[in-house]
Each structure stands twice: as structure tokens, then as C-alpha cells.
Amino acid sequence: MKNHSAENMWGDFLKAHLEFAFEHTPQVYHFSDNEKDANFNLELVLAGVKKANSHSLLGLQLQKKTLPKRGDFSVLTDWDGKARCIVRTTSVRMVPYFSVTAEHAKMEGNGDGSLSDWKKSYWDLFQRRLGEFDRKPNESMIIVCEYFEKVF
């Protein structure tokens, strides 16, 4: 962990929850690829509205990032890298983009919470992220649907 704010928050969490002292070092990240969306999504988590996130499997592979798994801890930061909370992954599902459900979109909490709004905003995000690798999203691409709970 190279983020001092995240290290301090993780240390505070471990002081209060010694049962997790032997857990792997958590991932540290912010949402999205721009400041406005990153900070907005973080506020949704802090308010208890956002309880899910979505990743393109291809995007994770191209960025050489690991798949989230049940039990993982993550320190969420704002765009500037200030640690704001810790979440724990409760489950992970992989589905084609065309099979993402309205329930998942609602748990994401973005926009108006509808599936159509989720599809629009994530299609745009996947276009930008995959475009960095000269790739394009498609309706059958695999989406990693991650569910989490705020624990600290």
C-alpha cells in the first residue's frame, strides 16, 4: 500500500477489528476515470446507497488487475487519494453485458438507478477504458458484478 491515508485507515480498522489482522493488504482505489464521477460514487457508498460496482473482465485483464473475490477488503478514496472508507466484497458474479439485471443497476445507485441509465453510463466508461488498449466494448463482453458492504 503506497497511500499513507489508506495505510492509516487500514491501521485504524485493524485496531478495532483484530480478527482481520492476518488479512491480505487491501486494494486502494477510487471509482471511475474522472474526478466528478469518482467523488460522486464515493459519496453514494458513504450514504449507504451504492453497494455494487461493475468491471469489464477484459479491462481488468488488460490493466493486469486481479478479479475481486468474496471477502476482499478495499480502501476507497476520493479522486485525490484521501481514504474515506473500507468496504468488503460480499459476492461476485460474472455475466455478459446484455444480462446485467435491473437489480444490479439499482444496487450501483448511479443516475436514476434504472438499468437503461446503468447501461448508458457503463457503456461510455467501458468505451473510454477499453479504448486505451485499442479495444471496444460489445454486448457479449463479460461484466464482473461486485457486491460489497461498507465496514469502516
Side-chain angles (χ1 to χ4, degrees):
M1 209 181 311
K2 298 175 186 174
N3 179 313
H4 294 297
S5 175
E7 288 173 352
N8 290 338
M9 180 172 276
W10 183 243
D12 291 344
F13 173 75
L14 291 178
K15 284 179 194 170
H17 299 281
L18 290 175
E19 67 271 25
F20 298 118
F22 295 103
E23 289 292 325
H24 294 288
T25 303
Q27 289 188 7
V28 179
Y29 68 92
H30 59 73
F31 292 107
S32 201
D33 63 349
N34 65 79
E35 183 174 2
K36 179 184 172 197
D37 290 341
N39 292 340
F40 178 75
N41 280 294
L42 176 62
E43 291 302 323
L44 291 175
V45 173
L46 295 173
V49 174
K50 184 174 181 68
K51 298 175 182 177
N53 197 23
S54 302
H55 314 272
S56 155
L57 177 60
L58 177 59
L60 291 175
Q61 291 169 333
L62 292 169
Q63 295 173 44
K64 298 181 178 12
K65 293 187 176 180
T66 59
L67 278 171
K69 65 182 184 310
R70 186 173 186 258
D72 283 352
F73 286 97
S74 299
V75 178
L76 302 182
T77 72
D78 61 19
W79 181 257
D80 296 322
K82 181 181 178 198
R84 299 287 306 278
C85 70
I86 297 173
V87 298
R88 190 169 196 197
T89 303
T90 56
S91 66
V92 178
R93 282 183 351 172
M94 288 193 263
V95 299
Y97 176 83
F98 64 79
S99 293
V100 172
T101 65
E103 178 185 353
H104 178 76
K106 184 176 180 180
M107 290 185 75
E108 285 252 10
N110 300 40
D112 64 8
S114 70
L115 181 57
S116 61
D117 196 45
W118 180 92
K119 285 192 170 211
K120 165 86 174 89
S121 64
Y122 270 93
W123 189 266
D124 293 346
L125 177 64
F126 295 146
Q127 278 186 313
R128 292 190 304 270
R129 291 231 168 125
L130 294 175
E132 296 171 11
F133 299 93
D134 294 322
R135 303 296 286 270
K136 293 182 181 181
N138 63 62
E139 290 284 329
S140 61
M141 67 182 166
I142 301 301
I143 303 303
V144 180
C145 299
E146 178 184 11
Y147 303 90
F148 57 80
E149 63 182 348
K150 182 176 63 165
V151 295
F152 192 76

